[in-house]
């Protein structure tokens, strides 16, 4: 890409409206085409909007399949505006020589904060309480009203002790929790059997797909709370609903869903469930930092430098 870079103006396609810093970094030197945000583009839609691109910044929901990656040989770099890249066929990208980058590091603290927010909202019944006050227009203090569960002294089981899992552990310890963790690939049985709260922080891979299925849920303590801020398909959502309905699970707080953007209808009417719209990293600071990383890597690549966060 470096050779001839002076002679030719590359086109960078933004598949969504990212924080303005992305355009600011790129617009001076490249043509930038920004498309409106579409949370669920089809392969064909993506092929159409990438047809003009030499480079792209993509959403975690953009299906970058082999067919899409093969559709325009001019595209040499794709910067995924996310730390996760399970939406991309990496083998195909490698074979086609397309560089893929992601945005690690900058969303660790925001996601860990949000995990704690979900743990507290769930165990202290915050969403239920909010709904009650809005619906009744009243606030009544009663000794036995809306009792939750204290987290102090409880055991938090963290599945996936990477950057985010470790940051969650530090916060949980500050709340007086006992923390146990497992790395990907290690046995989770002891963690599942002894944790009062289980929080998931692994990437979605073929190995972690449905890692929390009916059998894993059955191994958990009765009354356990399950938190997922990682990727929806790590949990078998129907099995989760069964375990919630049977009372085996005390509750669940989810920021991600198996068939995003769809949400399992069974979850919608459950009181002991907190449902967030995939906002674990959604602070202005964090999303801007993600956009800066993605755009900087595209800029570097098109200028003949190595991107800093390549995953292929
Ligand atoms: C990611 O970056 O993978 C997150 O899910 C976005 O919040």
């Amino acid at each position: 890409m470096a050779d001839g870079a002076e002679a030719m103006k590359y086109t960078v396609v933004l598949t969504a409206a990212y924080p303005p810093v992305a355009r600011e970094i790129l617009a001076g030197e490249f043509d930038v085409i920004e498309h409106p945000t579409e949370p669920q583009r089809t392969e064909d839609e993506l092929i159409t909007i990438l047809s003009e691109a030499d480079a792209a910044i993509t959403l975690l929901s953009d299906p970058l399949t082999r067919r899409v990656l093969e559709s325009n040989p001019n595209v040499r770099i794709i910067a995924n505006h996310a730390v996760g890249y399970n939406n991309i066929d990496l083998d195909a990208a490698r074979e086609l020589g397309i560089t893929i980058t992601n945005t690690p590091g900058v969303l660790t603290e925001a996601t860990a904060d949000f995990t704690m927010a979900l743990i507290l909202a769930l165990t202290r019944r915050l969403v239920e309480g909010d709904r009650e006050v809005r619906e009744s227009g009243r606030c009544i203090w009663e000794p036995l009203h809306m009792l939750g569960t204290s987290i102090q002294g409880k055991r938090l089981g963290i599945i996936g002790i990477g950057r985010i899992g470790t940051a969650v552990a530090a916060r949980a310890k500050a709340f007086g929790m006992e923390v146990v963790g497992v790395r990907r690939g290690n046995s989770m049985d002891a963690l599942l059997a002894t944790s009062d709260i289980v929080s998931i922080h692994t990437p979605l891979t073929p190995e972690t797909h449905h890692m929390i299925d009916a059998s894993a849920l059955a191994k958990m303590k009765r009354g356990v709370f399950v938190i997922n801020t990682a990727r929806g398909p790590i949990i078998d959502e129907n099995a989760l609903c069964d375990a919630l309905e049977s009372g085996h699970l005390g509750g669940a707080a989810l920021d991600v869903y198996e068939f995003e953007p769809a949400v399992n209808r069974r979850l919608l009417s459950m009181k002991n469930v907190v449902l967030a719209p995939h906002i674990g990293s959604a602070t202005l600071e964090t999303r801007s930092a993600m956009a800066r990383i993605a755009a900087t890597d595209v800029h570097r690549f098109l200028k003949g430098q190595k991107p800093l966060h390549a995953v292929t």
Side-chain angles (χ1 to χ4, degrees):
M1 270 289 167
D3 295 342
E6 292 75 21
M8 173 176 170
K9 201 160 186 197
Y10 293 117
T11 298
V12 183
V13 164
L14 311 186
T15 67
Y18 299 103
V21 65
R23 180 179 267 281
E24 284 158 24
I25 288 170
L26 296 165
E29 312 211 37
F30 311 115
D31 289 328
V32 177
I33 302 176
E34 182 179 290
H35 290 272
T37 306
E38 277 292 341
Q40 199 185 18
R41 273 187 216 284
T42 63
E43 287 184 20
D44 286 333
E45 286 165 349
L46 206 50
I47 287 171
T48 303
I49 69 172
L50 291 182
S51 63
E52 301 174 276
D54 298 298
I57 299 183
T58 52
L59 282 179
L60 55 84
S61 53
D62 288 334
L64 290 155
T65 59
R66 178 177 289 275
R67 187 170 153 251
V68 173
L69 295 173
E70 281 175 347
S71 68
N72 175 2
N74 292 333
V75 175
R76 307 317 305 154
I77 179 163
I78 294 176
N80 213 34
H81 183 263
V83 65
Y85 40 84
N86 52 286
N87 56 316
I88 305 175
D89 184 335
L90 286 192
D91 289 337
R94 279 191 200 99
E95 279 168 39
L96 295 163
I98 301 174
T99 296
I100 304 293
T101 65
N102 70 340
T103 65
V106 291
L107 41 65
T108 302
E109 309 303 330
T111 309
D113 287 348
F114 193 68
T115 303
M116 289 311 295
L118 288 181
I119 290 173
L120 290 165
L122 182 63
T123 55
R124 299 302 304 274
R125 304 176 62 179
L126 180 60
V127 176
E128 261 183 272
D130 176 272
R131 202 174 296 134
E132 181 186 279
V133 172
R134 288 174 199 275
E135 284 170 6
S136 68
R138 288 158 65 79
C139 166
I140 302 162
W141 194 97
E142 286 176 16
L144 296 178
H145 183 54
M146 215 168 264
L147 301 184
T149 304
S150 294
I151 62 170
Q152 192 181 29
K154 299 286 163 48
R155 178 176 283 211
L156 174 66
I158 297 181
I159 298 177
I161 287 282
R163 286 191 198 90
I164 298 172
T166 304
V168 171
R171 285 157 176 75
K173 284 181 191 160
F175 276 87
M177 299 191 79
E178 188 194 329
V179 179
V180 290
V182 285
R183 287 194 183 282
R184 248 192 310 160
N186 291 351
S187 167
M188 309 184 291
D189 285 5
L191 178 149
L192 297 180
T194 61
S195 297
D196 302 292
I197 300 174
V198 172
S199 190
I200 298 167
H201 299 283
T202 60
L204 174 62
T205 64
E207 294 72 42
T208 63
H209 182 266
H210 279 194
M211 180 170 70
I212 302 300
D213 57 7
S215 122
L217 290 162
K219 289 177 186 159
M220 294 184 191
K221 266 168 94 165
R222 192 172 173 80
V224 65
F225 296 102
V226 172
I227 316 293
N228 191 6
T229 54
R231 284 291 182 268
I234 295 170
I235 299 184
D236 175 342
E237 223 163 62
N238 264 319
L240 181 82
C241 290
D242 291 343
L244 284 162
E245 279 167 5
S246 75
H248 181 63
L249 254 58
L254 307 175
D255 188 38
V256 288
Y257 302 88
E258 185 169 357
F259 300 106
E260 254 171 66
V263 175
N264 193 314
R265 313 298 299 172
R266 294 169 71 190
L267 291 167
L268 301 181
S269 55
M270 295 184 191
K271 275 192 172 172
N272 54 344
V273 162
V274 173
L275 304 175
H278 203 150
I279 52 173
S281 66
T283 68
L284 179 60
E285 294 85 347
T286 298
R287 289 283 168 86
S288 297
M290 291 163 70
R292 177 178 291 281
I293 286 184
T296 302
D297 268 346
V298 168
H299 188 280
R300 287 176 67 89
F301 184 89
L302 294 179
K303 287 293 188 182
Q305 293 171 295
K306 246 175 117 96
L308 300 174
H309 305 92
V311 295
T312 55

